[in-house]
């Protein structure tokens, strides 16, 4: 059984996609041990509670400085002894100590085709604003392992999505979620649960 901890900051539609995929058998041999949010008002916490999953908030506001928050976050995750940590719309930079403690055991969903529209400043709606400003015709989503850089780790899965002429950042965000994110994130978790993702250097392959 793959034990996962899912980390969230907001609405939690990707978390919901994982919960539903476990329920309907798209993801097998996997459980969510806990959901952790940095934001006490994240609706994702309600989604976890509704699904009977233990949910907690570890907020930077409760700590005197970033180092203390990072330490609490790391301890909060490690106490569940996860095989995999899933960043499902977690908009906090992962502390290097966590990456060292969980090498190749943290994955992230990003709402673009990396290496386009990723890195510092590109998160949430900003990604889709960037895509529309550039006039890009194709965008998509990427699931990747998390390393010390921002959105630089080995890519596991990607899915392309068309940009429409009349898109707003919100309509594009919704289409990228529906057509790509909610599909490839559960798929990647199932592949990892069945030892089907191999990493060599900065490349991940599905076997
Ligand atoms: C998703 O679009 C996710 O890809 C993005 O935040 C949104 C969270 O939505 N993540 C990033 O931008 C990470 N750099 P959700 O809370 O409804 O899953």
């Amino acid at each position: 059984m793959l034990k996962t901890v899912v980390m969230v900051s907001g609405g939690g539609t990707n978390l919901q996609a994982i919960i539903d995929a476990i329920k309907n058998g798209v993801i097998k041999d996997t459980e969510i041990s806990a959901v952790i949010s940095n934001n006490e008002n994240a609706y994702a916490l309600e989604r976890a509670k509704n699904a009977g999953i233990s949910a907690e908030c570890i907020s930077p506001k409760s700590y005197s400085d970033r180092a203390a928050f990072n330490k609490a976050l790391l301890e909060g995750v490690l106490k569940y002894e996860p095989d995999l940590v899933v960043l499902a719309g977690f908009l906090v930079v992962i502390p290097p100590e966590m990456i060292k403690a969980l090498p190749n055991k943290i994955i992230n969903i990003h709402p673009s085709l990396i290496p386009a529209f990723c890195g510092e400043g590109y998160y949430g709606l900003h990604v889709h604003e960037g895509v529309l400003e550039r006039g890009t015709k194709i965008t998509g989503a990427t699931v990747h392992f998390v390393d010390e850089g921002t959105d630089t780790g080995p890519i596991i899965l990607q899915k392309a999505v068309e940009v429409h002429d009349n898109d707003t950042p919100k309509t594009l965000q919704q289409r990228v979620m529906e057509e790509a994110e909610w599909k490839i994130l559960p798929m990647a978790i199932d592949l990892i649960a069945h030892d089907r993702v191999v990493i060599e250097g900065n490349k991940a392959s599905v076997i």
Side-chain angles (χ1 to χ4, degrees):
M1 191 60 91
L2 186 85
K3 285 203 294 177
T4 65
V5 167
V6 181
M7 303 182 76
V8 294
S9 296
T13 64
N14 279 287
L15 167 67
Q16 192 66 54
I18 299 167
I19 292 170
D20 294 346
I22 291 174
K23 208 181 282 173
N24 62 31
V26 169
I27 303 177
K28 293 192 177 69
D29 308 309
T30 298
E31 64 183 28
I32 303 176
S33 306
V35 170
I36 296 176
S37 173
N38 61 308
N39 166 13
E40 61 181 342
N41 298 318
Y43 183 65
L45 289 172
E46 295 305 312
R47 293 181 190 270
K49 286 178 202 152
N50 291 341
I53 298 165
S54 102
E56 64 180 284
C57 172
I58 302 175
S59 166
K61 290 185 203 150
S62 312
Y63 298 90
S64 52
D65 57 24
R66 205 67 191 178
F69 166 68
N70 286 350
K71 187 166 176 280
L73 197 62
L74 180 59
E75 285 168 4
V77 170
L78 290 183
K79 78 170 181 237
Y80 293 102
E81 300 183 348
D83 301 309
L84 184 70
V85 172
V86 181
L87 309 183
F90 188 62
L91 304 181
V92 168
V93 174
I94 295 296
E97 306 84 53
M98 191 180 295
I99 293 158
K100 277 196 200 92
L102 295 160
N104 296 331
K105 285 187 175 179
I106 309 174
I107 64 169
N108 179 48
I109 178 84
H110 183 78
S112 76
L113 293 175
I114 290 175
F117 306 104
C118 65
E120 237 168 88
Y122 281 116
Y123 59 89
L125 268 187
H126 299 302
V127 175
H128 307 293
E129 285 162 4
V131 166
L132 292 176
E133 266 161 31
R134 184 64 186 83
T136 311
K137 308 301 180 216
I138 301 282
T139 183
T142 302
V143 184
H144 64 94
F145 286 103
V146 174
D147 66 8
E148 290 77 10
T150 307
D151 302 326
T152 53
I155 291 169
I156 305 166
L157 292 176
Q158 294 190 297
K159 193 163 190 297
V161 174
E162 266 182 33
V163 180
H164 296 171
D165 286 344
N166 58 355
D167 265 328
T168 64
K170 286 223 172 221
T171 62
L172 184 56
Q173 178 181 52
Q174 185 66 23
R175 188 172 328 100
V176 168
M177 283 177 160
E178 280 173 16
E179 292 184 10
E181 297 186 42
W182 302 341
K183 293 182 178 167
I184 63 174
L185 185 56
M187 215 183 273
I189 295 169
D190 185 67
L191 289 169
I192 291 168
H194 298 99
D195 295 324
R196 293 190 51 205
V197 181
V198 177
I199 304 173
E200 264 179 77
N202 197 35
K203 271 191 176 176
S205 321
V206 175
I207 52 168

